[in-house]
Amino acid sequence: MEQVVDKVIAGKAYVDGRIEEVAIAIDDERIVAITKPSKAPRATEVEIVKGKRVILPGMVDIHVHMRDLGQSYKEDWYTGTFSAIKGGVTLVIDMPNNVPPIDSVDALRRKMETAREKALVDYLFYMGYPKDIKELDKVIRMDIVGIKLYPEDLKKDELKTLLSLCSKMGLPVVFHAEDPEILHIDRLGEMPEIRGIEKVLDMVDYKVHVHITHVSLSKVAERIIRARGLGYNITFDVTIHHMLLNNNIYDKLGGLAYVRPPLRSEENRSYIFNLVKGGLPNAIITDHAPHTLDEKKGENPSPGFPGLEIAFPLLFTQILDGKLPLNVIDLYSAKPATLFNIAKGSIMVGNDADLIVVRYDVERRVKPEDFVSKAKYSPFKGWTLRCEVEKVFIRGNLVYDTQTLLVRRGYGRQGRRFKCRTLWAQA
Ligand code: DOR
Ligand code: ZN
């Protein structure tokens, strides 16, 4: 008997690093075949994508702050993941610096319940510095992707014990590598990050998977790439803002553009941009970090700003303008997914059918006042975007179409991961 699949989506799609006319067959939430359009299997539903549109994998953002819990005035899982959808992101990994902090099984459970209730896209979690390292076993069984350590954590006495345990258990450790001893004296300087990476490399063994997030300096990137060569199991990511903005913007925007690590000189910005052009980072991230406008103003601005709604459109605009090669898309999809064995991020048989349809015959401006995020400001305000995420499919279901949300809060699930070990640094 001829097989009938749930859905076929056909059109120009990004498959194996190229744009091709294909038919993507979806059954039971997953991609089951990729064929020439003429060879597509029979399907209950067929969607043809035409005109100036391209089908891409859903983007994967491995560094976001959905807030909620004690900080739902800044963002919550609904507004945060709605922002993700608008920006073509179908899986996020959420950071643990919540109020209360995610430092125990109980805290993690509470956060999981909140996400399950409200999330629109799929998600995974990092755990913060654990209150009781005996709980590591349990959190691994809850499928956390790794431990996230902040600058203050680098001061803790038992850090070495934690790191060797992570090494034994094969649990990745993600570092915000800025030296806490000098952060307060040198808020906008380079030394905290330079000293931070040295401290991290001094502390870790060769076996543990170390991931350095938001690298913003050429010196730090070079140090990491050298460490890779020396056999460290080390990977890193860069943010969309360190790629595209430099610190001149502080004169105009002040605290609104303040972020940790800070925006850097034009030399560093263009260095990071060129790293991306060459495909060297293991991921691009937003570090979506919403705060209220009041918190961004005044003497002591909170670091960070929202990014999920515009990161992919900004990146794809760079590609359309010929400034970055097409396969830079991988840094915001396939590569981060591979880094943590997530069954998404590329149009590939066996992966979840997370697809986005992107129109590229539009021209619009970044208008933060229209963000669905609670944080309605952006250092990218007024930037031109030459594309728009028109449709979003998550696990085969159309969740968003032409500005309209088609699913309810709670559609998102904890992301599916492949059970295998990767040699991370080569991912
Ligand atoms: O800019 C930042 N914002 N950097 C961080 O490390 C924390 C984040 C936040 O949670 O607001
Ligand atoms: Zn962050």
Side-chain angles (χ1 to χ4, degrees), residues 185-197:
I185 1 176
D186 200 10
R187 206 169 63 121
L188 296 178
E190 297 187 0
M191 277 325 279
E193 197 178 335
I194 292 170
R195 294 246 302 253
I197 188 66

Side-chain angles (χ1 to χ4, degrees), residues 138-376:
K138 270 195 207 151
V139 293
I140 287 176
R141 268 179 269 133
M142 291 162 86
D143 206 31
I144 59 152
V145 300
I147 301 285
K148 166 71 189 290
L149 298 178
Y150 283 90
E152 323 76 82
D153 297 325
L154 299 184
K155 291 195 212 165
K156 294 191 173 138
D157 293 337
E158 334 79 85
L159 182 55
K160 282 237 161 175
T161 321
L162 174 66
L163 290 173
S164 69
L165 212 57
C166 289
S167 178
K168 275 198 208 96
M169 292 176 155
L171 190 63
V173 185
V174 178
F175 283 93
H176 176 152
E178 286 190 289
D179 185 346
E181 309 293 348
I182 51 174
L183 255 182
H184 55 288
I185 1 176
D186 200 10
R187 206 169 63 121
L188 296 178
E190 297 187 0
M191 277 325 279
E193 197 178 335
I194 292 170
R195 294 246 302 253
I197 188 66
E198 291 308 332
K199 280 204 165 164
V200 168
L201 290 171
D202 277 349
M203 244 168 350
V204 297
D205 66 30
Y206 283 79
K207 241 179 66 202
V208 63
H209 173 204
V210 176
H211 181 83
I212 311 292
T213 190
H214 45 49
V215 171
S216 69
L217 295 171
S218 60
K219 284 192 186 125
V220 173
E222 277 161 10
R223 188 68 190 88
I224 292 169
I225 292 164
R226 190 143 41 92
R228 263 187 203 179
L230 293 170
Y232 282 91
N233 193 358
I234 189 167
T235 55
F236 73 102
D237 64 53
V238 300
T239 69
I240 190 87
H241 45 273
H242 290 114
M243 263 177 77
L244 298 178
L245 300 172
N246 65 33
N247 54 13
N248 294 333
I249 202 177
Y250 284 134
D251 297 340
K252 213 174 87 199
L253 296 181
L256 198 127
Y258 180 55
V259 62
R260 286 244 61 98
L263 297 172
R264 302 298 193 183
S265 65
E266 174 55 21
E267 292 75 57
N268 279 299
R269 194 231 30 102
S270 79
Y271 180 94
I272 298 291
F273 187 90
N274 284 318
L275 277 185
V276 167
K277 199 168 174 180
L280 269 96
N282 298 81
I284 293 171
I285 60 161
T286 53
D287 195 0
H288 180 83
H291 299 281
T292 65
L293 205 49
D294 277 346
E295 291 168 328
K296 296 294 289 172
K297 292 180 175 162
E299 276 295 282
N300 247 322
S302 300
F305 35 74
L308 276 168
E309 274 160 88
I310 51 171
F312 166 76
L314 283 167
L315 195 66
F316 202 61
T317 298
Q318 294 287 318
I319 294 170
L320 292 167
D321 285 348
K323 294 186 180 136
L324 288 173
L326 179 64
N327 56 18
V328 156
I329 291 171
D330 295 346
L331 299 193
Y332 200 33
S333 52
K335 285 185 87 179
T338 312
L339 202 54
F340 296 120
N341 290 332
I342 302 161
K344 295 184 188 284
S346 43
I347 302 179
M348 186 176 86
V349 170
N351 265 359
D352 288 355
D354 284 22
L355 304 168
I356 62 176
V357 176
V358 179
R359 272 183 71 164
Y360 52 90
D361 58 350
V362 292
E363 188 174 308
R364 59 196 178 104
R365 301 254 164 184
V366 174
K367 280 202 206 122
E369 61 274 23
D370 294 344
F371 282 179
V372 291
S373 166
K374 291 184 185 177
K376 300 188 193 302

Side-chain angles (χ1 to χ4, degrees), residues 77 81 114-121 123 408-412:
W77 274 89
T81 54
T114 309
R116 193 182 313 130
E117 241 170 64
K118 302 187 196 172
L120 295 165
V121 305
Y123 50 80
R408 273 201 280 269
R409 58 185 68 217
Y411 178 79

